Amino acid sequence: MERRSFFFGPTQIIAIRRFVPTHLQICSTFEVLTACLWRCRTIALNPNPEDEMRITCLVNARSKFNPPLPLGYYGNAVALPTAISTARDLCNKPLGHALELEMKAKSDVTEEYMRSVTDLLVIKGRPHFTTARTYIVSDVTCWRIN
């Protein structure tokens, strides 16, 4: 494995967005880049076609609570939803497949989801999540503490 930096400017983003189906055009730049990189990474790794490939996106869950978290609360309010696809589907289906799975995983983060994850962590003693064939991404550029 080798680390590389890639810079995506407006021209590259526009080119990638051409592959986004109409019903997913509301996606953010982060979402479309993440889906594209998940798909490209899978193709580059050339795994067994039946292997499950995962994408985990850190999600700021502060806005999910009602009533809202108290002002001045600086504890964690982060979710780690994961989308799963077979390597075959990621490699052979269009970009929209990966994008739809990613967007669905992120949209599943609700207050109930957060409470359920919290309960699981307490009951199971903070079990580790699998990192096998998992691509973990985060975008902290837009995170704000209210």
Side-chain angles (χ1 to χ4, degrees), residues 82-96:
T82 300
I84 301 171
S85 177
T86 63
R88 171 180 286 115
D89 284 350
L90 272 180
C91 294
N92 295 329
K93 289 186 176 182
L95 178 62

Side-chain angles (χ1 to χ4, degrees), residues 68-87:
L69 294 173
L71 283 175
Y73 175 78
Y74 293 104
N76 289 331
V78 176
L80 298 167
T82 300
I84 301 171
S85 177
T86 63

Side-chain angles (χ1 to χ4, degrees), residues 39-56:
R39 187 170 183 269
C40 290
R41 178 181 183 269
T42 301
I43 292 167
L45 290 174
N46 194 26
N48 179 310
E50 298 308 313
D51 281 352
E52 286 187 339
M53 305 303 287
R54 297 170 185 84
I55 183 84
T56 299

